[in-house]
Amino acid sequence: MIWENVTLAASSLKTNKTRALLTMLGIIIGIASVIAIVSIGNALESSVSTDLAALGTANITIAVQEREKENAIGRLRPPTGVIITGKTPTSSDLITETMISDFKARFADVIQGISISYSGGSATARDMELYANVSILGINKDYATANTITLLSGRIISQQDIDGFANVAVVSDKLVENMFPLGTDTVGKTIKIYKPNSIDIYTIIGVYEYAQDGPFASTASDRDMQTVMYIPVSTAKKDVLEKNFTSFTVVANADEDITQLTDSFQSYFDGVYAGNRDWKASASNLTLILDTVTSTLNTITLAVAVIAAISLIVGGIGVMNIMLVSVTERTREIGIRKALGAKTFHIQLQFLIEAVIVTVIGGIIGIMLGLALGVLASLILGVAASASIPMIFLSFIFSMAIGLFFGLYPASKAAKLDPIEALRYE
Amino acid sequence: MLQLREIVKRYFIGEPNELEVLRKISLIINEGEFIAIVGQSGSGKSTLMNIIGALDRPTEGLYILDGTPIAEMTDNELSEIRNEKVGFVFQTFNLVAKINALSNVELPMFYKGIPKRERRERAKYLLSLVGMQDRMTHMPNELSGGQKQRVAIARALANEPSIILADEPTGNLDTETGNMVMDLFMKIHREEKRTIVLITHNDELAKKTQRIVTLRDGRIVGDESNIAAFERGSTV
Ligand SMILES: Nc1ncnc2c1ncn2[C@@H]1O[C@H](COP(=O)(O)OP(=O)(O)OP(=O)(O)O)[C@@H](O)[C@H]1O
Ligand SMILES: [Mg+2]
């Protein structure tokens, strides 16, 4: 019964293909945009997640921050991390080596390492007419645990390098290209580093692969780009009076709950800084950023979904309109069918099925179009395409529901026609 | 058997232009009768046919079809009565345009809920009965007027109705084709033993039936047996 109605409806749609297709357009556009946006959103979200994971979601950063105070105007609080007084912490407010080793001892069982870095500013490596821009980063031994450094040759900064204030450096392959165009083995070679008021000579102990889309990516040309040069943190701080740190990063063991650890680190440092009225050390992790990104993407997805829903409703009204036209056009047919014994529900079913077929075919075309758009957008954005199966299923059900909903009125109108009047209709 | 008692049909009831189209029509049609209803245009023939065919309800009066009073029925019950007890043949053929001859004949059986295979078989039988076995898969617009009417007659026979109602079935056909359709009705009457009510303007055709009922201004003004002529005609 249903199946015969389906074939019947399909054959009556075939007689007016162009019209059927135009009718479907609203549904196609609505469904396609939902599917496309959801898959692009999914792709973006997972790509952001992997990017952030590369930065280290297992990392917890402890940083010295000014305490939030009720300001003079009232109880307004400045946003976290924003120093509105412009005060700088004094040496005694900063994190000392002892504090770090005490902390390390206290949490020895949950942490893999503690990464410390100190920016030594920008400099240029020169050798006759050859040059390469670098930004100097003093690091400790655990820095490589917290951050991804892909070594191409040689080794990373060791504890002996740090203890010995050694003038050793791990440089990028880009620097090697610029400074050693002949491509000989560079490990063991020396480079001259020109700073505004000093010239130092460093021995290259390792070469790492420059990550084009990494956190330190440069937008300059290969010739002028600035790449990071890693040196021992002690060497970087040699000429600096301030020996304490404003921040350090903890690498937790893989199986630890980062959120929970962040909380316990926070309460540990709250204890350490209990006596300090202006400054504190606050613990944070990247999962917080990830959450923000995710919720932003969700908001965008929702907004597009609303727009798509409107387009689906408009599409549904289009279907209703065409079905009403179809009922009028086929008044005589309805009269004949009624004369032959069709009951109200027979006529209703016939037109409902026709409406549902229109919207379902529209839905299927929309789903395919949306998936294609999703793949295209992913290619352009350079992220992996990812389709949402539940979303496809939902779209299918939804397009069916639209057909049912917007087909109902025309179908009952058809079913209510008086057979005599309908038979007389020209 | 079919019984009409004092059937009245009015239009525009309660309005100044109230129109009484049927005025106390009483008529009994027996099983197996082949009867012609004649009358001038506007005399109420089609209105009467609609009531007999359960397409319409009378304003007043009693109508009993095969022992079932029709007056108080719902639309769906009327559909069922039409489906099972009435076969219509219209002046304008009224085939469903988008489906072929076979499917048209199957339609009444489809609405009755008869399984596909059985339906198809009977439709084929009926189409060959009306001489359309070679045109079964043709669409209505590929058929001539006479062929369309033969398909319509096959369709009217589908559910073995108690009565076949034909409202000017030859009205849109030339004389020769009209005669051929008329012969088909006579064959069906003879071989299938159906009750047939033929509405016509054409006295020649009316004279080929067993009984002639004449309407004028919504009243029956003549009801004559034509058995003698009928017997003569059918033996020729
Ligand atoms: N739905 C209607 N509303 C108002 N008047 C109607 C309606 N149907 C029929 N009539 C009127 O009823 C009268 C009888 O019409 P009917 O169609 O029964 O005549 P008929 O005998 O079949 O005529 P013809 O031979 O031309 O087909 C006519 O005057 C017509 O105008
Ligand atoms: Mg008439």
Side-chain angles (χ1 to χ4, degrees), chain B residues 8-223:
Chain B
V8 174
K9 181 69 188 181
R10 291 192 198 98
Y11 289 109
F12 313 117
I13 294 163
E15 288 172 43
N17 56 344
E18 187 175 302
L19 192 66
E20 199 168 68
V21 178
L22 297 179
R23 300 172 173 176
K24 299 208 173 178
I25 298 270
S26 293
L27 183 68
I28 289 175
I29 298 172
N30 293 305
E31 211 174 297
E33 251 186 327
F34 189 0
I35 168 171
I37 297 180
V38 295
Q40 286 166 343
S41 183
S43 56
K45 304 184 296 292
S46 296
T47 309
L48 182 62
M49 185 194 92
N50 288 341
I51 289 173
I52 295 175
L55 274 168
D56 203 0
R57 296 185 187 82
T59 315
E60 282 168 24
L62 185 68
Y63 171 34
I64 297 169
L65 174 59
D66 273 355
T68 320
I70 298 297
E72 306 276 282
M73 285 189 165
T74 64
D75 285 352
N76 277 341
E77 284 167 336
L78 286 183
S79 285
E80 207 167 307
I81 292 282
R82 287 197 294 274
N83 183 243
E84 292 178 359
K85 295 191 183 296
V86 185
F88 289 98
V89 179
F90 300 93
Q91 180 175 353
T92 50
F93 321 124
N94 280 342
L95 298 180
V96 174
K98 283 180 307 237
I99 57 180
N100 65 20
L102 203 58
S103 300
N104 261 288
V105 179
E106 281 182 46
L107 261 188
M109 298 184 268
F110 171 69
Y111 289 128
K112 198 181 179 182
I114 292 171
K116 180 86 189 168
R117 181 186 285 257
E118 198 182 324
R119 232 157 62 199
R120 180 115 305 182
E121 217 147 275
R122 179 157 171 81
K124 280 180 182 165
Y125 161 75
L126 289 169
L127 280 173
S128 45
L129 187 76
V130 300
M132 289 292 291
Q133 62 276 14
D134 299 333
R135 298 278 191 283
M136 295 205 275
T137 55
H138 283 227
M139 301 302 279
N141 62 6
E142 297 163 351
L143 298 173
S144 73
Q147 290 172 329
K148 279 185 204 168
Q149 201 59 302
R150 284 193 275 166
V151 174
I153 292 168
R155 186 177 69 182
L157 289 167
N159 285 338
E160 309 193 291
S162 314
I163 183 162
I164 288 172
L165 293 174
D167 192 352
E168 308 205 30
T170 61
N172 276 13
L173 304 173
D174 59 51
T175 319
E176 203 179 324
T177 322
N179 283 334
M180 190 196 69
V181 166
M182 188 61 195
D183 289 344
L184 184 56
F185 274 114
M186 297 179 77
K187 173 184 166 189
I188 284 160
H189 176 250
R190 205 168 48 235
E191 291 176 8
E192 300 278 306
K193 309 265 180 277
R194 298 279 148 220
T195 312
I196 300 174
V197 177
L198 173 75
I199 293 172
T200 180
H201 274 120
N202 188 327
D203 284 343
E204 293 292 311
L205 292 186
K207 279 181 186 137
K208 289 184 175 177
T209 66
Q210 295 171 316
R211 178 181 167 194
I212 303 171
V213 172
T214 312
L215 279 189
R216 189 184 300 150
D217 288 336
R219 286 197 180 85
I220 293 179
V221 294
D223 188 347

Side-chain angles (χ1 to χ4, degrees), chain A residues 368-387:
Chain A
M368 294 193 295
L369 198 69
L371 289 177
L373 282 176
V375 170
L376 198 72
S378 312
L379 285 178
I380 293 168
L381 293 174
V383 294
S386 103

Side-chain angles (χ1 to χ4, degrees), chain A residues 114-400:
Chain A
I114 287 183
S115 147
I116 296 170
S117 64
Y118 176 79
S119 170
S122 297
T124 308
R126 276 187 200 284
D127 180 16
M128 317 281 273
E129 74 279 13
L130 297 173
Y131 71 92
N133 295 323
V134 295
S135 75
I136 298 168
L137 194 68
I139 60 172
N140 74 341
K141 166 171 82 47
D142 285 344
Y143 182 87
T145 333
N147 301 274
T148 323
I149 299 174
T150 317
L151 270 186
L152 295 174
S153 60
R155 59 173 180 87
I156 199 76
I157 308 292
S158 71
Q159 192 59 46
Q160 283 106 299
D161 298 333
I162 296 167
D163 292 343
F165 296 85
N167 268 8
V168 292
V170 178
V171 298
S172 71
D173 50 353
K174 298 285 175 193
L175 178 137
V176 172
E177 277 172 31
N178 286 331
M179 297 301 293
F180 302 96
L182 295 176
T184 47
D185 188 17
T186 42
V187 174
K189 297 250 162 62
T190 56
I191 45 170
K192 259 189 206 154
I193 299 292
Y194 290 74
K195 288 214 259 181
N197 40 27
S198 64
I199 302 169
D200 294 312
I201 294 172
Y202 286 87
T203 306
I204 296 174
I205 56 165
V207 178
Y208 70 90
E209 186 181 15
Y210 174 77
Q212 193 64 57
D213 52 356
F216 301 117
S218 164
T219 51
S221 69
D222 276 8
R223 188 68 203 86
D224 289 320
M225 66 169 25
Q226 188 181 52
T227 60
V228 177
M229 179 175 96
Y230 300 102
I231 64 170
V233 65
S234 54
T235 316
K237 284 213 159 193
K238 201 159 53 182
D239 305 325
V240 184
L241 287 175
E242 183 57 75
K243 299 297 177 197
N244 294 339
F245 299 94
T246 50
S247 71
F248 67 94
T249 300
V250 184
V251 185
N253 283 333
D255 51 347
E256 292 299 331
D257 179 342
I258 296 301
T259 317
Q260 213 176 308
L261 263 192
T262 307
D263 287 347
S264 33
F265 290 179
Q266 184 64 62
S267 42
Y268 174 84
F269 276 99
D270 282 348
V272 175
Y273 273 79
N276 193 324
R277 283 171 53 220
D278 299 321
W279 299 90
K280 64 172 185 180
S282 69
S284 65
N285 62 59
L286 279 175
T287 53
L288 291 172
I289 299 172
L290 188 60
D291 287 349
T292 315
V293 171
T294 309
S295 81
T296 309
L297 278 172
N298 284 345
T299 312
I300 295 169
T301 306
L302 189 73
V304 173
V306 168
I307 295 167
I310 293 169
S311 124
L312 284 178
I313 289 171
V314 174
I317 293 171
V319 170
M320 178 151 88
N321 184 33
I322 288 298
M323 290 310 294
L324 285 173
V325 171
S326 170
V327 168
T328 311
E329 279 175 356
R330 286 152 71 185
T331 301
R332 204 181 172 85
E333 179 193 326
I334 295 164
I336 298 170
R337 289 177 181 274
K338 285 201 140 185
L340 299 181
K343 293 180 184 172
T344 310
F345 96 93
H346 287 122
I347 304 290
Q348 239 168 356
L349 193 67
Q350 185 188 334
F351 281 88
L352 263 187
I353 285 177
E354 215 172 293
V356 169
I357 285 182
V358 170
T359 57
V360 163
I361 292 177
I364 291 172
I365 297 176
I367 288 170
M368 294 193 295
L369 198 69
L371 289 177
L373 282 176
V375 170
L376 198 72
S378 312
L379 285 178
I380 293 168
L381 293 174
V383 294
S386 103
S388 152
I389 301 291
M391 202 59 212
I392 291 171
F393 187 71
L394 207 72
S395 300
F396 186 81
I397 298 292
F398 200 68
S399 50
M400 197 181 256

